[in-house]
Amino acid sequence: MSNFYKRLAILILLVLVISGSVIYFTVDIHTLTNLTVFQPWSLALAVLCVSIGLFLDGSRLMHLVHISHEEITLGEAVQVVFGNYFLALLTPGATGGAVAQLMFLRHAGVPTGKATVLVFVRTVVSILFLILCLPFIFMHDSHILPGVSNEYLAGISIAAFLIILFLILGMKSKMLNKIAVRIAKKLSPARRRTFLKGYRDTQNAVRLLYASPWAMLFVFLESGLSLIAIYAIVPCLMLGLGVTDADWYAVMGKMIFLNMLLYFMPTPGGSGIAEGGFVLLFTDIVPAGTVGIVAVCWRFIAEYIPFLIGFYYTIKVFGAGFLNKK
């Protein structure tokens, strides 16, 4: 059996075990009663929301590529988006997602150097949007994470934003170049090359951010709308369960907070941590006995359907033989 099929089998087993466990440990005597009122139209609405989000994700990538003086079609951009979902779920820490984006961008005719920068900028813009949202979330939801004060969380988010801002300004002004060289000299030759390459890619990404500020602002807004549309899956499912009086601001805030954490989780696509975090944050919001089912439905619509579409595009573009390569 090839490495790919071994990983795929492990992933399927992992997803089934996690999904089954989450549902098993969260059902209670109220589950069937609450599920009887479920409206199927909410699933269609959730799929529509994620479709809009993925479309906007592809659109912002197309505009990013245009800023770098290259061109790709919306169809090619969408392939990059789905390819990211596919390989991100097959690798620890979602590292394969970046590789997939590079592969599809190169196939679309974008030079490797620019493709690397674009992948980096795409991720940074998303994280910046989420970080900017966090203070407003903490001001509204007084106990978003049990056992941790909002002041502490707000302090971390503000510190993270200031660090990113400092790095961007430092790289733009070349102020950090000497520090980077000093750090590189203390590393082994192999690590030195990797570090300097990463530093140069980051610096090129910063230059791209400053090259067209208004165009980048548009990309930033597209990123935010894309993420909000994808996170709206959960409110759609809650409406289907008859929840109409929820604090939707707090619901979206919890989704933003949870997905922000998932960017830094070591498991493939955040598997296990996503479901566990969802149960922790939403137990008191969704109808009794359904939090695990909603968590699994959210993951299926937001992650596993795009994964299957990315699987299809990978075979279509690179051939089935690609999956057998190491």
Side-chain angles (χ1 to χ4, degrees):
M1 184 183 290
S2 68
N3 286 337
F4 165 75
Y5 289 107
K6 287 179 181 177
R7 287 185 178 182
L8 183 60
I10 292 172
L11 173 65
I12 293 173
L13 179 62
L14 178 67
V15 168
L16 290 176
V17 170
I18 290 173
S19 300
S21 298
V22 168
I23 293 174
Y24 177 79
F25 287 108
T26 55
V27 296
D28 58 26
I29 59 174
H30 304 288
T31 302
L32 289 179
T33 303
N34 287 321
L35 286 180
T36 55
V37 302
F38 182 74
Q39 300 296 320
W41 56 259
S42 65
L43 288 175
L45 185 60
V47 171
L48 176 62
C49 284
V50 78
S51 299
I52 293 172
L54 293 173
F55 170 81
L56 290 171
D57 198 359
S59 176
R60 68 153 176 167
L61 178 60
M62 186 175 65
H63 293 136
L64 263 179
V65 172
H66 179 73
I67 293 172
S68 71
H69 306 294
E70 301 291 338
E71 298 293 339
I72 62 173
T73 65
L74 181 59
E76 290 170 331
V78 169
Q79 289 180 2
V80 176
V81 172
F82 284 118
N84 172 53
Y85 277 93
F86 174 57
L87 283 187
L89 269 174
L90 286 177
T91 53
T95 52
V99 175
Q101 293 177 68
L102 285 173
M103 287 165 38
F104 278 97
L105 284 170
R106 287 173 58 188
H107 183 268
V110 180
T112 302
K114 286 186 178 181
T116 303
V117 172
L118 291 170
V119 171
F120 183 81
V121 170
R122 180 175 177 268
T123 304
V124 168
V125 169
S126 295
I127 292 176
L128 276 175
F129 174 80
L130 297 179
I131 288 177
L132 286 174
C133 290
L134 290 180
F136 300 100
I137 294 168
F138 297 145
M139 285 189 293
H140 181 80
D141 194 341
S142 58
H143 299 289
I144 191 167
L145 188 63
V148 182
S149 69
N150 278 17
E151 290 76 12
Y152 180 74
L153 293 173
I156 293 176
S157 63
I158 292 172
F161 177 76
L162 292 176
I163 290 171
I164 293 174
L165 184 63
F166 170 76
L167 292 174
I168 290 174
L169 294 175
M171 289 183 180
K172 179 180 180 293
S173 63
K174 299 182 180 180
M175 180 179 64
L176 296 178
N177 286 9
K178 291 183 179 179
I179 297 175
V181 171
R182 289 178 181 175
I183 293 174
K185 288 181 178 178
K186 297 180 180 180
L187 301 175
S188 64
R191 291 184 176 180
R192 184 183 305 145
R193 286 191 295 270
T194 302
F195 173 78
L196 290 176
K197 182 181 182 301
Y199 181 80
R200 284 193 296 268
D201 289 341
T202 306
Q203 200 167 42
N204 289 333
V206 170
R207 292 193 184 104
L208 180 63
L209 289 170
Y210 275 93
S212 305
W214 290 111
M216 282 304 307
L217 177 60
F218 183 75
V219 168
F220 180 80
L221 293 175
E222 272 190 310
S223 300
L225 291 174
S226 170
L227 293 171
I228 288 172
I230 293 173
Y231 300 162
I233 293 171
V234 171
C236 291
L237 296 175
M238 290 174 62
L239 286 171
L241 286 168
V243 180
T244 58
D245 58 348
D247 184 344
W248 299 114
Y249 189 108
V251 170
M252 291 301 292
K254 290 178 186 294
M255 288 301 298
I256 289 172
F257 177 72
L258 176 58
N259 281 274
M260 178 69 195
L261 295 180
L262 293 182
Y263 271 99
F264 307 99
M265 294 299 105
T267 59
S271 298
I273 297 172
E275 291 84 353
F278 187 94
V279 171
L280 178 66
L281 294 175
F282 286 92
T283 295
D284 297 329
I285 299 179
V286 302
T290 63
V291 65
I293 296 172
V294 175
V296 171
C297 287
W298 159 57
R299 290 290 288 173
F300 186 82
I301 296 171
E303 292 288 336
Y304 304 138
I305 291 179
F307 167 84
L308 293 174
I309 298 173
F311 183 20
Y312 163 77
Y313 277 129
T314 301
I315 293 177
K316 179 181 177 181
V317 174
F318 299 106
F322 163 79
L323 300 177
N324 294 320
K325 296 178 182 179
K326 292 184 179 180

